[in-house]
């Protein structure tokens, strides 16, 4: 995208003669998008995010159940992936208390987010509004719940300069 913050990256893409496709720009004659990421992208992305979290925790010196999660493409079926996630989630209660609770905040409400949330719900967690995150973290600690999650709305992420 030709936003100012992205210009150095786009300059490098041009310099290296890399082909870059912006699928959001593929539209029909009425400017409706013909290619869009949807629920399955969200599902695969959330599986891969859990896998990436496991890798990051290993880098930080912690062994967690997230390391038992494979990348989305490694599973023969969605049901197999979900079963593995549920097993990993059941083991999260054994993590070092200093790591808990883990906090996840989702942005958006579209199909990708809905797919991600469907996968996320396999984990033992409590959901709350963004403004309730501090108290939800305390509640999760006292109840032994390893994950706290929220979905941020536009008003949670953006404030007018005058405010």
């Amino acid at each position: 995208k030709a936003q100012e913050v992205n210009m150095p990256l786009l300059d490098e893409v041009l310099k290296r003669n890399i082909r870059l496709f912006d699928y959001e720009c593929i539209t029909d004659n009425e400017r409706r998008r013909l290619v869009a990421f949807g629920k399955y992208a969200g599902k695969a992305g959330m599986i891969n995010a859990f896998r990436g979290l496991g890798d990051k925790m290993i880098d930080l010196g912690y062994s967690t159940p997230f390391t038992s999660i494979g990348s989305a493409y490694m599973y023969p079926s969605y049901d197999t992936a979900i079963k593995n996630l549920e097993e990993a989630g059941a083991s999260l209660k054994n993590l070092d208390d200093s790591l808990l609770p883990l906090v996840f905040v989702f942005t958006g409400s579209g199909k990708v987010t809905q797919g991600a949330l469907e996968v996320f719900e396999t984990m033992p967690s409590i959901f709350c509004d963004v403004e309730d995150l501090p108290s939800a973290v305390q509640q999760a600690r006292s109840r032994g719940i390893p994950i706290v999650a929220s979905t941020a709305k536009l008003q949670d992420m953006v404030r007018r300069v005058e405010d």
Side-chain angles (χ1 to χ4, degrees):
K1 311 254 179 166
Q3 296 144 335
E4 187 174 336
V5 69
N6 294 330
M7 295 314 289
L9 173 64
L10 291 174
D11 288 340
E12 192 64 26
V13 165
L14 289 172
K15 180 177 147 188
R16 294 182 186 206
N17 201 27
I18 297 171
R19 273 191 224 178
L20 184 65
F21 295 94
D22 185 352
Y23 290 104
E24 292 182 8
C25 293
I26 301 173
T27 59
D28 64 13
N29 291 338
E30 292 165 20
R31 313 248 330 126
R32 292 179 297 213
R33 287 174 52 187
L34 297 175
V35 179
F37 295 101
K39 190 173 183 179
Y40 292 105
K43 290 178 179 184
M46 192 73 245
I47 293 167
N48 291 342
F50 284 135
R51 158 83 187 245
L53 179 57
D55 291 345
K56 180 64 177 176
M57 297 300 267
I58 284 287
D59 287 347
L60 296 172
Y62 298 100
S63 178
T64 70
F66 293 114
T67 58
S68 68
I69 298 171
S71 294
Y73 78 90
M74 297 174 168
Y75 293 102
S77 70
Y78 177 69
D79 290 339
T80 304
I82 293 302
K83 185 174 189 288
N84 185 243
L85 288 167
E86 289 170 343
E87 290 169 0
S91 299
L92 288 176
K93 294 174 182 169
N94 301 325
L95 282 180
D96 186 318
D97 285 343
S98 68
L99 297 174
L100 298 177
L102 300 170
V103 177
F104 289 76
V105 177
F106 294 87
T107 58
S109 58
K111 293 177 184 175
V112 175
T113 299
Q114 293 307 310
L117 287 168
E118 185 177 313
V119 170
F120 183 82
E121 289 170 358
T122 63
M123 294 290 162
S125 61
I126 56 174
F127 257 84
C128 66
D129 291 330
V130 170
E131 61 270 10
D132 296 329
L133 275 169
S135 61
V137 166
Q138 294 305 320
Q139 179 184 9
R141 281 192 180 122
S142 67
R143 292 176 46 202
I145 298 171
I147 299 175
V148 175
S150 184
T151 301
K153 298 173 189 71
L154 181 62
Q155 61 267 27
D156 298 318
M157 299 181 283
V158 179
R159 296 236 187 319
R160 292 171 47 120
V161 173
E162 297 86 40
D163 296 343

